[in-house]
Amino acid sequence: MRDSPYFGLLYVLVPFSLVSVGGGPAIFAPLQHQSVDIWHWVSAREFVDLFAIARTAPGPGAMLTTLIGWKVAGWSGAIVATLALFAPASFMTYAVARVYDRYRGRAWHTALEEGLAPVAVGLILSGAVSVLHLSGDRPLAWAAALGAGAALAFLPKLHPFIILFTGAAIFVAAFFLGLK
Amino acid sequence: MIRVYGIGRDMTTDGKRVSLGAIFRVFFMIGATSFGGGLIAWIHRETVTNRKWLTQEQFLSGVALGQVLPGANVTNLAIYVGQVLRGGLGATVAICAVLLAPFFLCIGLAHIYDRVIGVPGFHAAMDGIAATAVGMILRLAYMGASHSCRKAAPAIIALAVFGAIGLLHWPLFPVILVAAPLSVALAWPRGAAHA
């Protein structure tokens, strides 16, 4: 049974699912170690490529595990890896959300909602800054992010696609003009 | 607005029941089009701003819960929103819908990656989309702050969490373990007054 590729995926990914607090970034380092050094699913180079692909495609960056499963055992590997990574954590979240939601309207629940809101605001802002930090703190990226935020604030009817497309166009132009 | 268990369950802020099909459509589109990240901002736009399925506080507390629990923030938020709207079925539909398109798109991209990576400007375009998607998240943070951080105490909590995690890169869990109970305790008198 240990020889089965599905066993390996489940054996590695189910525990990762349960400790992936904060999402994909929390497990990328140990996942790299397991899939490159221990199980030899992918080479170090392939891992970096798959990471980049998962970031480029829509959806959570944790879809990296889907791609590793796909490398290991094709479509069925992709499905097993996706379920192994997302299902355990999802059941846990569902259980907590269910209990949490049951007490909606109680005084302590209202206090909990009001108290968690500013914590979430701090976390959301941290997430925004960390993405810019990961992309190398380029002044152009900061300018684009702040510009896009302002555009959305002052032109709420504007569809985000238009803003994302404008951002892409500006970066491509900067690339061809040789600007940082 | 305040919903009580047994009376207003499975309803949105304006008292309508959301269909599973509507949940599927919204989360499928978010999954399919969220190039460059910013999924939380998309979910907020579609479920709070455009459809009023959740209140601002409901959404934000869902974000905080999703971050302290294991799992990707986006899938946790999808489960939370689905659960609030339609219980277990809603949660299942939301998470499957949000992962469906990315599942095929990332494998599809892996097939053609070697070719697109060589296209001049491809990386620049992706960086540009990612940077502007951060703008959507900044806008969401501003909306959340202007709604829930009007008083000094929540504003200080939000800034402290941002300083500790966003600027000082302290570990997430201990920071929340201190900030969340403190913040809830500070909200307590106001919360109790609503009851």
Side-chain angles (χ1 to χ4, degrees):
Chain A
M1 190 173 106
R2 277 197 71 107
D3 296 333
S4 157
Y6 308 116
F7 171 81
L9 289 170
L10 291 170
Y11 184 80
V12 169
L13 295 176
V14 169
F16 277 174
S17 178
L18 294 171
V19 297
S20 60
V21 174
I27 57 156
F28 286 154
L31 179 64
Q32 182 175 25
H33 178 62
Q34 290 288 331
S35 43
V36 176
D37 306 327
I38 310 286
W39 292 82
H40 307 293
W41 286 327
V42 289
S43 69
R45 169 73 215 173
E46 281 177 316
F47 187 89
V48 174
D49 277 348
L50 295 181
F51 177 77
I53 292 168
R55 269 193 64 114
T56 306
M63 298 301 281
L64 167 60
T65 55
T66 304
L67 291 169
I68 289 175
W70 179 66
K71 281 270 176 200
V72 172
W75 286 101
S76 55
I79 292 170
V80 168
T82 308
L83 287 176
L85 189 81
F86 286 104
S90 296
F91 280 117
M92 211 153 140
T93 299
Y94 171 69
V96 172
R98 203 186 139 93
V99 171
Y100 181 73
D101 197 38
R102 178 171 297 168
Y103 297 99
R104 199 192 290 163
R106 304 273 176 91
W108 64 264
H109 188 276
T110 308
L112 209 56
E113 270 193 351
E114 287 188 10
L116 285 177
V119 175
V121 169
L123 289 172
I124 291 167
L125 205 52
S126 304
V129 172
S130 83
V131 172
L132 293 174
H133 190 64
L134 276 175
S135 64
D137 279 322
R138 289 170 68 191
L140 184 60
W142 277 91
L146 290 171
L152 287 161
F154 291 111
L155 305 166
K157 297 276 177 221
L158 198 62
H159 197 279
F161 277 156
I162 296 168
I163 294 176
L164 295 179
F165 182 78
T166 308
I170 290 171
F171 271 61
V172 170
F175 170 77
F176 283 113
L177 293 170
L179 301 173
K180 275 276 167 188
Chain B
M1 284 286 272
I2 294 171
R3 286 173 280 172
V4 182
Y5 179 57
I7 299 173
R9 281 182 65 77
D10 291 357
M11 305 256 179
T12 63
T13 51
D14 48 8
K16 292 198 189 81
R17 186 179 155 100
V18 178
S19 75
L20 292 173
I23 296 174
F24 182 86
R25 277 194 298 280
V26 164
F27 279 93
F28 177 81
M29 282 312 287
I30 290 168
T33 58
S34 58
F35 288 94
L39 281 93
I40 288 185
W42 278 105
I43 296 177
H44 179 268
R45 180 186 147 88
E46 298 300 330
T47 63
V48 180
T49 308
N50 287 355
R51 290 187 177 74
K52 309 210 175 356
W53 283 354
L54 282 83
T55 65
Q56 204 73 251
E57 275 95 3
Q58 269 183 319
F59 179 86
L60 289 172
S61 65
V63 169
L65 277 183
Q67 298 227 358
V68 292
L69 293 166
N73 299 334
V74 183
T75 49
N76 282 352
L77 192 56
I79 289 166
Y80 172 86
V81 173
Q83 143 70 24
V84 167
L85 296 174
R86 290 297 301 269
L89 265 181
T92 312
V93 167
I95 187 176
C96 291
V98 84
L99 289 179
L100 188 61
F103 179 85
F104 291 104
L105 287 171
C106 75
I107 293 177
L109 183 63
H111 274 102
I112 58 165
Y113 191 66
D114 292 336
R115 266 164 284 160
V116 293
I117 197 74
V119 176
F122 174 75
H123 263 307
M126 283 299 153
D127 286 350
I129 292 173
T132 30
V134 172
M136 290 180 69
I137 300 179
L138 289 176
R139 165 88 179 123
L140 167 60
Y142 178 78
M143 279 194 281
S146 60
H147 184 88
S148 63
C149 302
R150 285 206 203 113
K151 297 195 175 149
I156 291 168
I157 295 279
L159 281 174
V161 169
F162 169 63
I165 293 172
L167 300 180
L168 299 173
H169 306 292
W170 288 0
L172 180 86
F173 212 78
V175 171
I176 294 182
L177 216 56
V178 173
L182 189 65
S183 182
V184 172
L186 289 167
W188 200 264
R190 287 178 287 139
H194 283 305

